[in-house]
Amino acid sequence: EVQLVESGGGLVQPGRSLRVSCAVSGLTFYDYAMYWVRQTPGKGLEWVSGISWNSDTIVYGDSVKGRFTISRDNAKNSLYLQMNSLRAEDTALYYCAKGRGLTIFEPIDYWGQGTLVTVSS
Amino acid sequence: EIVLTQSPGTLSLSPGERATLSCRASHSVSSSYLAWYQQKPGQPPRLVIYDASTRATGIPDRFSGSWSGTDFSLTISRVEPEDFAVYYCQHYGRSPQQTFGQGTKLEIK
């Protein structure tokens, strides 16, 4: 069974940093691109970032470019999102998600349950 | 950047009726890079359709996807009680980034 389990969310002050992680099991992790997608409570989905299977291709959404860094460790079956200079508008449920193939130009076929990040003083 | 506009915002139907949800792209996109997701309260989204018209694993055949130019549609031939949810379209091509539509809520009339 494919499982994506996020961790590391919490309450953080504006301007500070936070790192969220995603542990993946039940598949060959390095065969797939991975993503972070966020959702504000009661609102829609926003694509945050994507990383190809070998980290060769990385893309960010405009709202997080220059502040967030996505990375993966294929030996540990893990995905990460380093979030710096956090703002109130970054408050959201952050989903870890798996693509259908190697590149980031694939739909998402598995999602975690999400980890909540709240940016507030 | 490609902007996806979904309509209607809310669609109220009775079980057994036909549902047609729309997603319009701001620029020409390859039909190979359009997906539809279903999201129920308290759950992550679930892939329904990808490549504009291919059903994902486990999705019943009452769901279908189609397109004409920059207009994409998700059709549910006969809505079942478990189909009431929010549906999002997504472009996952080289936009240069991926985008989601704002969602259509399919609710019970």
Side-chain angles (χ1 to χ4, degrees), chain B residues 41-62:
Chain B
Q43 298 182 16
R46 176 191 184 192
L47 181 64
V48 177
I49 296 285
Y50 64 95
D51 294 352
S53 61
T54 302
R55 276 189 301 276
T57 302
I59 300 299
D61 61 7
R62 63 180 180 272

Side-chain angles (χ1 to χ4, degrees), chain A residues 39 47 62 104-105 108 111, chain B residues 37 39 45 50 92 97-98:
Chain A
Q39 185 167 35
W47 190 85
D62 286 343
I104 66 168
F105 309 109
I108 295 170
W111 302 68
Chain B
Y37 299 87
Q39 187 177 32
Y50 64 95
Y92 48 90
Q97 59 193 259
Q98 301 186 13

Side-chain angles (χ1 to χ4, degrees), chain A residues 4-18:
Chain A
L4 290 74
V5 180
E6 301 94 338
S7 60
L11 176 63
V12 60
Q13 293 180 328
R16 303 298 291 266
S17 299
L18 193 67

Side-chain angles (χ1 to χ4, degrees), chain A residues 3-56:
Chain A
Q3 286 194 313
L4 290 74
V5 180
E6 301 94 338
S7 60
L11 176 63
V12 60
Q13 293 180 328
R16 303 298 291 266
S17 299
L18 193 67
R19 187 199 202 201
V20 293
S21 303
C22 174
V24 181
S25 60
L27 51 77
T28 305
F29 182 66
Y30 57 76
D31 275 348
Y32 301 99
M34 297 294 297
Y35 309 93
W36 289 100
V37 176
R38 68 186 182 185
Q39 185 167 35
T40 305
K43 297 289 181 63
L45 301 169
E46 181 184 6
W47 190 85
V48 174
S49 183
I51 184 168
S52 62
W53 70 282
N54 61 355
S55 304
D56 198 42

